[in-house]
Amino acid sequence: MASFLVTGGAGFIGSHLVTQLIHRGHTVRVVDNLITGKRRNLDHVSGVEFVEGDLADIGVATRAVEGMDYVLHQAAIPSVPRSVKDPISSNRANIDASVNVLVAARDAGVKRLVYAGSSAAYGDTPTLPKREDMPTNPLSPYALQKLVSEQYGQLFTQLYGFETVTIRYFNVFGPRQDPGSPYSGVISLFASALLEGRQPVIYGDGEQTRDFTYVANVVDGVLRAVETPKASGHVINVATGGRISLNALLRAMNKIVGTNLQPIYQEPRAGDVRDSQADITKAKTLLGYTPIVSLEEGLEKTLEWCRTESTAGSRR
Ligand code: UD1
């Protein structure tokens, strides 16, 4: 059994990693500044050490990594439009904190750090699906910040021999993704609109596409990146390998919920990528990864969770 620090462990993806680590019998510490994370995302697991703190403060980062075998660095402000509006706080969360965690983890003798990278790094490069060796073209401060931190990780591996792996996430969705902000992930926003009988908003013509990935697939990919010795120094896409337009996504979700709510179309968002789809060959060959939950199954599970949550919410 090993000890893991999950930064951003009270967030959506982080909390799923924590759940799986505890399930496997590991020791888990979470550090989270609760800007986008929520303490209640960890209510269902016991035995987690929780530290509230901001990793952009090097003292917090140094204390957080103490005694840890592995670091899963998930903490971020994970929104494209939020970074367009406020690049400074986004930079602090997405780059300053990452450099602190890398330095602290290297100095504490951590065995490996796995970083939550983003497919946003590819931007609008013309070829689909996106392979890891293709050029990057960040279109927003968020995309650039994710790419810079990923490259910091690779540099730390080359320069200091500190093991890092970046997993590039593609539009992750699932239970506990919070629809509470206009910056929330589109599936959570569509789900809450449909369940409340509201028309969802689509920015642009709705023909932009995404490789929506159910969170259990990402958890599996990240934990494989911890366990696979030869993955060190690599950047690896983890996704399902398909893509769907927002219009088609909304039709699929309307069908599951049993509604027929039409979207309100608004101006496209600045910094938005048009199409995103992963080539997952590298994850398959290097990590032995294969998607375990399809988009359709993931949507069913997510909407089921949202239904339960809204019933529980109305009882509270
Ligand atoms: C998402 C993630 C980002 C991650 C990236 C990886 C979120 C909030 N963002 O970015 O952290 O690194 O995937 O690829 O999870 N849209 C609507 N209506 C809405 C909200 C969004 O039409 O109410 C559109 C957006 O304009 C965009 C698409 O849906 O075209 C997806 O948006 P969003 O869920 O915010 O994710 P990304 O920007 O793709």
Side-chain angles (χ1 to χ4, degrees):
M1 291 306 107
S3 53
F4 284 76
L5 170 68
V6 183
T7 73
F12 157 52
I13 300 173
S15 69
H16 283 274
L17 285 164
V18 170
T19 308
Q20 186 54 230
L21 290 169
I22 293 284
H23 179 72
R24 294 188 186 186
H26 296 296
T27 303
V28 180
R29 179 183 296 157
V30 163
V31 62
D32 203 302
N33 59 10
L34 302 178
I35 288 185
T36 59
K38 297 207 167 42
R39 196 67 187 79
R40 71 172 144 82
N41 281 341
L42 295 172
D43 279 354
H44 63 287
V45 274
S46 53
V48 177
E49 180 190 347
F50 180 79
V51 179
E52 185 174 344
D54 189 343
L55 293 161
D57 172 350
I58 184 68
V60 171
T62 304
R63 285 190 296 279
V65 296
E66 222 167 82
M68 294 291 120
D69 294 316
Y70 299 101
V71 173
L72 307 182
H73 182 38
Q74 310 297 307
I77 295 187
S79 161
V80 170
R82 189 162 171 175
S83 78
V84 172
K85 196 157 180 238
D86 181 7
I88 294 177
S89 53
S90 176
N91 193 84
R92 186 177 146 84
N94 298 339
I95 298 184
D96 296 351
S98 298
V99 177
N100 285 349
V101 172
L102 279 166
V103 169
R106 179 203 62 184
D107 292 351
V110 165
K111 292 179 185 149
R112 181 173 285 189
L113 177 147
V114 180
Y115 175 62
S118 173
S119 60
Y122 293 110
D124 272 344
T125 49
T127 322
L128 289 173
K130 308 291 187 193
R131 250 193 1 248
E132 296 85 346
D133 57 3
M134 285 176 181
T136 50
N137 181 29
L139 300 179
S140 62
Y142 170 75
L144 179 62
Q145 292 153 9
K146 279 280 154 183
L147 180 60
V148 168
S149 285
E150 166 187 312
Q151 292 184 342
Y152 257 116
Q154 288 194 295
L155 184 71
F156 268 57
T157 305
Q158 285 160 26
L159 192 60
Y160 306 114
F162 175 57
E163 292 199 5
T164 70
V165 185
T166 289
I167 298 297
R168 280 190 185 155
Y169 297 168
F170 284 69
N171 291 78
V172 186
F173 72 98
R176 294 199 290 281
Q177 191 169 30
D178 176 21
S181 136
Y183 301 128
S184 301
V186 66
I187 290 186
S188 68
L189 291 170
F190 279 8
S192 64
L194 298 189
L195 291 169
E196 290 164 18
R198 288 183 283 111
Q199 286 179 269
V201 173
I202 287 186
Y203 299 107
D205 63 4
E207 286 306 302
Q208 66 267 50
T209 58
R210 292 290 185 274
D211 187 344
F212 290 104
T213 307
Y214 187 69
V215 64
N217 298 322
V218 168
V219 169
D220 182 57
V222 169
L223 298 184
R224 284 172 185 273
V226 172
E227 291 156 3
T228 309
K230 59 184 187 294
S232 178
H234 284 275
V235 171
I236 308 163
N237 294 337
V238 163
T240 55
R243 70 189 170 104
I244 184 173
S245 71
L246 291 188
N247 289 323
L249 171 73
L250 181 58
R251 282 196 295 276
M253 292 178 69
N254 259 316
K255 196 164 163 212
I256 297 171
V257 181
T259 45
N260 186 23
L261 286 154
Q262 297 308 305
I264 300 167
Y265 289 98
Q266 293 187 3
E267 283 300 297
R269 275 177 170 174
D272 215 19
V273 169
R274 182 71 185 173
D275 296 303
S276 177
Q277 180 182 15
D279 183 321
I280 53 172
T281 310
K282 189 171 177 183
K284 284 184 171 164
T285 50
L286 193 62
L287 303 179
Y289 163 86
T290 181
I292 41 187
V293 180
S294 68
L295 171 65
E296 295 69 25
E297 202 187 328
L299 287 175
E300 303 257 6
K301 284 174 186 284
T302 305
L303 284 160
E304 185 51 44
W305 179 83
C306 295
R307 264 194 212 102
T308 326
E309 272 297 284
S310 58
T311 324
S314 59
R315 277 201 309 265
R316 276 197 283 266

